[in-house]
Amino acid sequence: MSVNRCMLLFSRVQPRICAISVRNKNTLVDSRCGNFGSTTLLKDPWSGPLTSRRGVYSNSSSRSPDTSLFVPLNIKSDVDDGWAVGAELTQPLDKSELLKILNKFYKRNEMQKIAADQGLDARLFHQAFISFRKYVLEISTLSADLHIILNDICCGAGHIDDLYPYFMRHAKQIFPMLDCMEDLRKISDLRVPANWYPEARAIQRKVIFHAGPTNSGKTHHAIQRYLAAKSGVYCGPLKLLAHEIFEKSNTAGVPCDLVTGEERTFVDAEGGQAEHVACTIEMCSVTTPYEVAVIDEIQMIRDISRGWAWTRALLGLCAEEIHVCGEPAVINFVTELMYTTGEEVEVRNYKRLSPCSILDRAVESLDNLRPGDCVVCFSKNDIYSISRQIESRGLECAVIYGSLPPGTKLSQAKKFNDPEDPCKILVATDAIGMGLNLSIKRIIFNSLVKPNINEKGEKELNTISTSQALQIAGRAGRFSSIFKEGEVTTMHRDDLPILKEILSRTVHAIEIAGLHPTAEQIEMFAYHLPDATLSNLIDIFVSLSQVDGMYFVCNIDDFKFLADMIQHIPLNLRSRYVFCTAPINKKQPFVCTSFLKFARQFSRDEPLTFDWVYLYLCYRFMDMFPDANHVREIQQELDSIIQLGVRNITRLIRATETSATPGIDPLSSQRRSGPSPVSPRRVRGAPKAQDSGVEAGQLDKSLGSRLVQEGLLTPDLLKQLQKEWSKEHRQEEVGVKLVAETLNNKIKGRKKKPC
């Protein structure tokens, strides 16, 4: 090799060569060594915490991250141009010798201790070493500086510890968060969320807490102030409540817009915004100035899934007056929370406007139901079972549960409240606890056990809380209804003493509020970790997040589920974040599949037209969803069909069971067999009871046949009942087909309309 070429090679390699020995405590690390990134070590690693130009590497004041969430990146050799500079300067390396050297390095406790000071715990150290060993042994051409150091160690001219800078360089390449851990901790610091809202902090807000039980008029007084203001925003937990305030405002002559996750209704025909708006709490603006803001059901600030929305509204709304409505158990916490913003709280207490008492006897049988009764269940299966049994007694009942559209709930409530309507009994879930004015005389708890989602996102069955029981029981004997006194009891005798004990407890004070990482915070995280997935960004954010005793990070399992579902689809981070906030039921495969198709269509910059009916996203990406009005019209028509179905829910359930299970006796649908309908698999293929001579063994799965066998029904009476049922079923089937055909024709007609 010529002298000139040797000099050229040395000039290319020299800036990357580092003379370091951790055995020499007086040796500083050259800033040119090892490509460490932007952090340069200034102090010997043996003598304490590593100091850098960014500060002290110490975790003493912050929580240690969950390093199981750190996903190593795959890296390639940074020098692979076919010119083995290190080999030309020294000699080729023996792979077997390299393996021995690397394993000795791994077993050095001193190396693990130094690495731990820079964020590499035992788990990360092991993962980093496995990757480093693979890199050294499998890469065809090592970087010149690493090749020379390894050659020196093999020849006895270097020490194993000299590998440490190169090992750390590699570790920070596969775990980029190690180089920016302090920045990530600052971004995920959630201890002072009040500072997230500079517009609200720039004004001195007046906070008025309207505290009282259900049916005390607390929300009414807040709404009166809202209607009298020049501008205002109402923030409620349900679309139904937002609809109610929207209608009440416009009826009172106060122009008001409606904003929910999937609906925008402007009173101005040209789309101009009114001074008042009624919205679901997640949709409220924290940058628009108002004179008055109303935050309803403030006790939901501790909800493990949605609590962040109440925290955001309470801390961030830009209003001169903030009217907060809720349980007295939240007063102290809201007052303490407002201390962090320098705002005082005025408390106005209210008492219940009409009496409500707990009865000493349970109902025990549906035969003992009276007009004005509401049977409360905690599952749709129980709703179906109870309503079926009530109608089998010749009584009409209204049905309300959470997943019904708002229009259907209002229709059922109107039917139940109408004194001229024969429907005098209501069967409902705890959805009646908020947002519906109902003329209920007596609340009857069919059960006191409700499925809940715990802090870990797991479903579990728990006895209802005192707060939940009071919220539901308080619906009896509302001040504005025809019943001036309310009553509360249970369906089953054994539940009554339990209910009394629940209602006698003091409601636990609320002492914590939910938080959720914002899109801006996640974007800052992604700036430092550009190769991480959105789900992984969220995991790391929560792991590093710091909250004080007043806050907690809400459950984000549904968000992560959607993030993982669409991770393979090319979307920018902000669009991906918005998609993942969509209210998708992950237990419904069809809904998840449709969501996936929406994201894929959106990523191609192709518009989602009428054929892609989904309203939540159309208001967030308006240019990509041009047919929102058509979808809205179809939604209203579907709402009407659902209302028709709910009005005839018992007949429809029976019809479904009969059509799905040929051979089943229609009377069997009236069995009191629990919440689940008859399983089609158990009765499929069972022979029909065509005459009285059918063998008993062929009908052992039919309630009708058993009644005949036991002498409770005659064969002729059974046959007559079958004929009546068949006639009723045919009439209902014809009606449903007509409605379905009408809807189908309307949909086909709209598809032909130009966009």
Side-chain angles (χ1 to χ4, degrees):
M1 183 184 298
S2 67
V3 174
N4 289 337
R5 188 174 182 189
C6 286
M7 293 299 295
L8 174 64
L9 290 173
F10 184 76
S11 66
R12 293 181 58 182
V13 174
Q14 190 269 341
R16 304 183 65 186
I17 298 178
C18 137
I20 178 176
S21 174
V22 297
R23 291 168 296 164
N24 185 349
K25 292 189 177 183
N26 296 319
T27 304
L28 294 178
V29 181
D30 192 329
S31 62
R32 297 171 298 177
C33 171
N35 232 5
F36 285 130
S38 58
T39 301
T40 303
L41 305 182
L42 302 176
K43 186 175 181 179
D44 171 54
W46 291 102
S47 59
L50 294 176
T51 305
S52 73
R53 290 173 185 165
R54 288 184 181 175
V56 178
Y57 282 78
S58 175
N59 293 334
S60 60
S61 61
S62 60
R63 60 186 288 189
S64 299
D66 182 0
T67 56
S68 65
L69 303 174
F70 293 1
V71 180
L73 303 179
N74 293 321
I75 64 171
K76 297 180 180 179
S77 174
D78 57 345
V79 177
D80 192 13
D81 56 4
W83 192 12
V85 179
E88 288 199 29
L89 289 176
T90 56
Q91 62 184 0
L93 299 173
D94 185 345
K95 299 290 185 182
S96 60
E97 286 297 318
L98 289 181
L99 181 60
K100 293 178 182 178
I101 291 171
L102 292 171
N103 287 339
K104 287 181 180 178
F105 174 82
Y106 177 73
K107 294 177 181 178
R108 289 272 294 167
N109 292 332
E110 292 83 353
M111 295 297 97
Q112 296 188 27
K113 291 178 181 179
I114 298 175
D117 287 336
Q118 297 207 38
L120 278 181
D121 62 9
R123 179 198 299 270
L124 295 186
F125 184 87
H126 177 76
Q127 288 181 288
F129 173 76
I130 296 298
S131 177
F132 182 63
R133 184 176 63 188
K134 181 179 179 181
Y135 170 81
V136 170
L137 296 179
E138 296 183 4
I139 292 297
S140 57
T141 304
L142 286 171
S143 60
D145 49 358
L146 179 57
H147 186 106
I148 292 171
I149 288 295
L150 287 170
N151 181 74
D152 288 348
I153 297 173
C154 289
C155 297
H159 192 275
I160 291 176
D161 293 351
D162 296 342
L163 280 178
Y164 176 76
Y166 304 95
F167 167 75
M168 282 304 303
R169 175 177 69 187
H170 183 87
K172 290 181 179 181
Q173 287 175 339
I174 66 171
F175 295 118
M177 62 284 297
L178 294 175
D179 236 356
C180 54
M181 191 63 69
E182 292 304 309
D183 290 337
L184 296 180
R185 281 198 173 94
K186 290 178 182 178
I187 296 170
S188 58
D189 190 341
L190 308 180
R191 288 175 292 185
V192 192
N195 292 345
W196 302 350
Y197 310 104
E199 291 89 350
R201 301 291 77 78
I203 62 176
Q204 186 65 31
R205 307 181 307 170
K206 181 180 180 180
V207 182
I208 298 123
F209 196 121
H210 300 266
T214 304
N215 192 24
S216 61
K218 57 184 183 297
T219 306
H220 170 78
H221 286 85
I223 294 300
Q224 291 305 306
R225 179 66 186 96
Y226 163 83
L227 295 175
K230 295 179 181 178
S231 63
V233 57
Y234 168 83
C235 308
L238 302 173
K239 289 184 287 186
L240 203 60
L241 282 169
H243 271 273
E244 180 184 342
I245 301 303
F246 165 73
E247 294 176 355
K248 182 179 292 186
S249 296
N250 288 294
T251 301
V254 179
C256 177
D257 295 336
L258 175 68
V259 178
T260 69
E262 59 184 32
E263 187 172 0
R264 304 286 191 282
T265 303
F266 299 101
V267 291
D268 185 351
E270 297 181 358
Q273 295 185 2
E275 294 295 328
H276 288 70
V277 59
C279 63
T280 45
I281 194 160
E282 286 87 352
M283 302 305 299
C284 70
S285 169
V286 292
T287 57
T288 305
Y290 300 101
E291 181 182 349
V292 169
V294 177
I295 303 174
D296 208 356
E297 306 295 350
I298 187 62
Q299 65 272 9
M300 291 191 69
I301 199 169
R302 68 173 173 188
D303 186 87
I304 62 173
S305 299
R306 300 178 64 200
W308 63 269
W310 276 262
T311 306
R312 173 177 174 269
L314 183 60
L315 296 177
L317 280 172
C318 253
E320 297 172 21
E321 293 182 19
I322 307 289
H323 290 257
V324 179
C325 306
E327 299 176 359
V330 204
I331 294 176
N332 291 339
F333 178 71
V334 170
T335 302
E336 185 179 357
L337 207 59
M338 292 299 95
Y339 284 156
T340 66
T341 64
E343 296 162 335
E344 296 182 359
V345 178
E346 175 188 338
V347 179
R348 299 178 185 175
N349 290 294
Y350 302 83
K351 295 182 179 180
R352 184 177 170 87
L353 298 174
S354 59
C356 184
S357 58
I358 307 175
L359 301 181
D360 291 326
R361 293 185 60 184
V363 176
E364 298 193 36
S365 171
L366 295 177
D367 294 327
N368 297 326
L369 292 179
R370 305 192 301 253
D373 279 349
C374 173
V375 182
V376 177
C377 309
F378 292 110
S379 75
K380 283 189 287 187
N381 283 337
D382 287 346
I383 289 277
Y384 299 149
S385 176
I386 295 295
S387 62
R388 192 164 50 192
Q389 295 174 56
I390 290 174
E391 292 203 358
S392 71
R393 289 164 166 79
L395 302 173
E396 287 194 32
C397 66
V399 175
I400 296 175
Y401 52 88
S403 57
L404 285 176
T408 305
K409 292 177 185 174
L410 290 172
S411 174
Q412 290 290 293
K414 183 178 179 181
K415 177 182 178 182
F416 175 71
N417 290 338
D418 186 357
E420 304 299 325
D421 196 291
C423 174
K424 300 299 180 185
I425 296 173
L426 175 64
V427 182
T429 62
D430 56 338
I432 64 167
M434 296 180 187
L436 285 171
N437 292 319
L438 298 164
S439 295
I440 299 173
K441 170 65 174 177
R442 182 171 59 169
I443 289 286
I444 304 167
F445 286 90
N446 185 61
S447 169
L448 297 176
V449 177
K450 178 186 177 182
N452 292 307
I453 304 298
N454 62 22
E455 290 80 358
K456 298 180 181 179
E458 301 167 341
K459 189 174 182 180
E460 59 185 15
L461 294 175
N462 292 319
T463 303
I464 59 174
S465 67
T466 300
S467 178
Q468 292 169 331
L470 289 171
Q471 188 84 23
I472 298 169
R475 294 292 151 182
R478 286 186 65 85
F479 181 72
S480 58
S481 72
I482 61 174
F483 303 109
K484 301 307 178 184
E485 294 185 11
E487 298 173 346
V488 183
T489 187
T490 60
M491 179 63 68
H492 307 289
R493 186 187 306 173
D494 294 341
D495 287 339
L496 187 55
I498 300 175
L499 177 63
K500 289 183 177 181
E501 195 272 330
I502 292 173
L503 292 175
S504 66
R505 299 175 193 160
T506 302
V507 178
H508 293 299
I510 293 174
E511 299 175 341
I512 197 166
L515 295 173
H516 190 284
T518 66
E520 292 76 16
Q521 289 169 328
I522 298 303
E523 282 179 332
M524 287 190 287
F525 246 58
Y527 172 80
H528 292 286
L529 306 174
D531 297 312
T533 66
L534 177 56
S535 178
N536 191 229
L537 286 172
I538 290 289
D539 277 336
I540 296 174
F541 184 97
V542 174
S543 171
L544 291 175
S545 64
Q546 301 177 66
V547 294
D548 65 19
M550 299 175 69
Y551 301 101
F552 70 96
V553 179
C554 287
N555 186 293
I556 50 177
D557 287 346
D558 289 347
F559 184 98
K560 289 169 52 186
F561 175 84
L562 297 180
D564 288 333
M565 187 191 302
I566 63 173
Q567 181 55 44
H568 65 287
I569 298 175
L571 294 169
N572 65 63
L573 183 63
R574 179 58 69 104
S575 296
R576 191 181 300 277
Y577 184 97
V578 172
F579 264 85
C580 293
T581 59
I584 297 296
N585 187 343
K586 64 183 181 181
K587 296 181 180 179
Q588 297 181 350
F590 171 76
V591 175
C592 293
T593 301
S594 299
F595 176 78
L596 195 59
K597 291 181 177 179
F598 293 150
R600 188 176 290 114
Q601 182 83 348
F602 181 88
S603 71
R604 297 168 181 160
D605 285 334
E606 297 177 4
L608 289 93
T609 55
F610 178 81
D611 294 330
W612 303 76
V613 286
Y614 195 58
L615 289 171
Y616 178 86
L617 295 170
C618 77
Y619 291 112
R620 289 152 179 81
F621 306 108
M622 294 184 179
D623 55 331
M624 299 296 289
F625 291 79
D627 293 343
N629 290 335
H630 290 175
V631 176
R632 172 63 59 193
E633 293 172 11
I634 290 299
Q635 185 193 42
Q636 292 171 351
E637 292 172 10
L638 286 172
D639 209 358
S640 300
I641 289 182
I642 292 173
Q643 291 179 35
L644 173 64
V646 171
R647 282 198 296 268
N648 299 280
I649 192 165
T650 302
R651 296 177 184 175
L652 289 175
I653 292 170
R654 291 176 182 166
T656 303
E657 291 175 352
T658 303
S659 60
T661 58
I664 185 172
D665 189 290
L667 289 178
S668 65
S669 67
Q670 297 178 12
R671 297 182 303 171
R672 189 172 183 180
S673 56
S676 300
V678 178
S679 170
R681 189 169 297 175
R682 292 178 58 192
V683 297
R684 189 174 298 279
K688 290 187 177 181
Q690 296 178 346
D691 54 60
S692 59
V694 176
E695 293 182 6
Q698 294 176 316
L699 294 173
D700 58 349
K701 294 178 182 177
S702 168
L703 176 61
S705 64
R706 290 203 300 273
L707 293 175
V708 171
Q709 292 170 5
E710 295 170 6
L712 300 175
L713 278 179
T714 65
D716 291 338
L717 181 56
L718 175 60
K719 194 171 183 179
Q720 181 180 351
L721 288 171
Q722 287 174 333
K723 288 180 179 179
E724 291 179 1
W725 161 246
S726 298
K727 181 180 179 181
E728 184 185 61
H729 169 51
R730 284 195 297 270
Q731 291 174 345
E732 185 65 38
E733 195 174 45
V734 169
V736 172
K737 284 182 178 178
L738 287 174
V739 174
E741 288 174 4
T742 301
L743 175 62
N744 191 40
N745 291 334
K746 289 183 178 181
I747 292 175
K748 289 180 179 178
R750 281 195 176 82
K751 284 185 177 180
K752 296 177 182 179
K753 291 182 180 180
C755 297

